[in-house]
Amino acid sequence: MCKGLVTDILVYMPFEEMLDTCVDQRIETLDFGCGNWSDAPHLDGLLGSAAKRKQFLNELKVRGISIAALNCSEGPIVLEMEDLTMEPLTD
């Protein structure tokens, strides 16, 4: 089994510190927020610079971390409690 992490939960950390924290916690793969609800905190400047992209990938590689996803998902669905129904499961 592979342990992963959504990097937005470590938004307050610089990129390299976030990666080192993941290594310390034995995280093997990362889901990077790239837009929509995420401000893409760890991807700054990558679109405009091949050198930054190369450095970004190298920082992952030397730590043995892979990319699980580049995530541009919308925020979670919020339901009102009255919209939820609890029905027993049947065979």
Side-chain angles (χ1 to χ4, degrees):
M1 183 166 66
C2 184
K3 285 179 19 179
L5 178 101
V6 176
T7 59
D8 278 343
I9 67 168
L10 300 177
V11 66
Y12 58 92
M13 290 183 178
F15 179 64
E16 290 83 5
E17 181 181 353
M18 180 271 299
L19 293 179
D20 291 339
T21 298
C22 290
V23 169
D24 291 345
Q25 297 300 314
R26 297 188 176 111
I27 302 297
E28 302 169 70
T29 189
L30 298 175
D31 179 326
F32 287 93
C34 297
N36 280 338
W37 62 269
S38 173
D39 291 333
H42 301 106
L43 304 177
D44 191 40
L46 294 181
L47 287 179
S49 172
K52 284 186 179 184
R53 289 190 299 274
K54 185 176 180 180
Q55 180 182 0
F56 174 86
L57 292 173
N58 187 59
E59 295 292 341
L60 292 169
K61 183 179 180 179
V62 299
R63 290 170 175 86
I65 297 174
S66 65
I67 298 173
L70 300 175
N71 186 342
C72 290
S73 63
E74 188 58 59
I77 296 172
V78 178
L79 299 173
E80 297 296 326
M81 288 303 291
E82 58 267 10
D83 293 336
L84 300 177
T85 59
M86 300 298 285
E87 297 179 16
L89 297 176
T90 59
D91 293 302

